[in-house]
Amino acid sequence: YARAVREVAETAPAFLMLQDWDPGGQGVPVATLVKLFETVEAVRAVKVEVVPAGRKYSELLAATGGRLHVSGGWAVMQMIEALDRGVHAFMPTALNAIYVRIYQLHTAGQRQAARDLFDQVLPILAFSNQHLDISIHFFKRLLFARMIRSAV
């Protein structure tokens, strides 16, 4: 894995984000990701999508002094906890405006307001994140419906 990342980095632009995707496990070891961050100049970010994500967020941030840009995706159900841990960003799928508002509230020190808004969207997340296939179909249909409405 590390050799492949180095090979890509040699031909890649100055910024490389690694996707640590393993919906059934721990993904790439933290030590490997940290070593790549420290030794490959282009590796500046990791999108963590493992089970459980929280501990890995904290370990990566602690091991790099917060210098590694850590983002989340599939673990959006734990968004508030991840923000509490210092995660920098999330993949918003089709809920962009809501996630931005939650992030703004949280970073402004209004954690409870962020939590309240998050709780309103939680039923959608609970349904859509049952399985990756459901998530993909649900959000593609949502985006398509928005496109049709905005064209009318």
Side-chain angles (χ1 to χ4, degrees), residues 13-122:
F15 184 90
L16 189 60
M17 187 273 298
L18 304 178
Q19 183 172 11
D20 187 16
W21 167 254
D22 185 358
Q26 293 295 307
V28 180
V30 169
T32 301
L33 294 170
V34 170
K35 184 167 184 163
L36 286 167
F37 170 72
E38 292 172 345
T39 61
V40 180
E41 189 174 336
V43 174
R44 298 294 99 196
V46 174
K47 181 180 172 199
V48 176
E49 296 187 288
V50 302
V51 178
R55 184 176 74 204
K56 193 161 198 177
Y57 294 145
S58 292
E59 290 174 359
L60 285 168
L61 290 165
T64 62
R67 294 174 293 125
L68 175 65
H69 185 279
V70 176
S71 61
W74 187 249
V76 72
M77 297 284 286
Q78 297 89 35
M79 183 179 186
I80 300 297
E81 175 194 357
L83 290 170
D84 290 345
R85 291 173 182 265
V87 169
H88 301 103
F90 284 88
M91 178 59 71
T93 54
L95 302 175
N96 308 44
I98 295 168
Y99 286 178
V100 167
R101 187 66 186 136
I102 292 167
Y103 180 85
Q104 289 171 334
L105 289 166
H106 191 280
T107 57
Q110 299 176 42
R111 186 186 188 280
Q112 188 57 52
R115 179 76 220 193
D116 292 344
L117 181 54
F118 181 77
D119 287 348
Q120 291 179 40
V121 77
L122 201 51

